[in-house]
Amino acid sequence: MDLLVSTRRAPRHVVVEVRGELDMDTTPQLRAELQRLVDAGDREVVVDLGGVPFMDSSALGDIVLTFTALRDVGGRLSLAAVQRQVATVLKITSLDSVIDIYDTAEAAEADVPPAESARG
């Protein structure tokens, strides 16, 4: 299955919509997009995983790296619309207690702080 990654900009954040399985073959595509956003100065990133039925450890590693990179510059990574199997992996690894996870991308977007506080 091919991976589709699209990015949508909003005034205070960026939403990365992912469709397909995230495994060691497809994760580099997501990694490149997330790194591009961090390098470009984006600080509020929502990753919509509603179209991701499976995620392996390589994808988890890249999510943790992005979470850390954003946190280190006063930003935030949020996950949205996580499907059951992916939610189980996040729970087993305790990432669900570290990274903000929302039922929908809209809920994650609504929780993005105002621009003044996002800059820390």
Side-chain angles (χ1 to χ4, degrees), residues 18-103:
V18 185
R19 300 277 178 248
E21 294 186 358
L22 282 169
D23 57 30
M24 62 186 230
D25 291 328
T26 60
T27 297
Q29 185 179 345
L30 176 61
R31 177 186 321 127
E33 180 61 11
L34 293 174
Q35 187 62 54
R36 184 187 70 75
L37 294 172
V38 172
D39 291 347
D42 289 296
R43 296 298 175 252
E44 290 289 334
V45 178
V46 175
V47 179
D48 180 349
L49 296 173
V52 177
F54 172 81
M55 176 188 295
D56 73 6
S57 61
S58 63
L60 286 173
D62 285 337
I63 286 173
V64 169
L65 288 173
T66 303
F67 168 81
T68 303
L70 287 169
R71 183 194 61 197
D72 289 351
V73 295
R76 181 174 71 145
L77 176 73
S78 302
L79 304 178
V82 177
Q83 293 191 29
R84 184 185 308 156
Q85 187 173 3
V86 174
T88 299
V89 172
L90 294 170
K91 184 173 180 65
I92 289 169
T93 59
S94 297
L95 285 177
D96 64 337
S97 65
V98 178
I99 298 174
D100 294 325
I101 300 174
Y102 297 86
D103 291 338

Side-chain angles (χ1 to χ4, degrees), residues 2-16:
D2 289 335
L3 186 71
L4 301 173
V5 178
S6 61
T7 302
R8 176 175 50 83
R9 292 196 170 277
R12 300 176 308 173
H13 60 279
V14 177
V15 177
V16 178

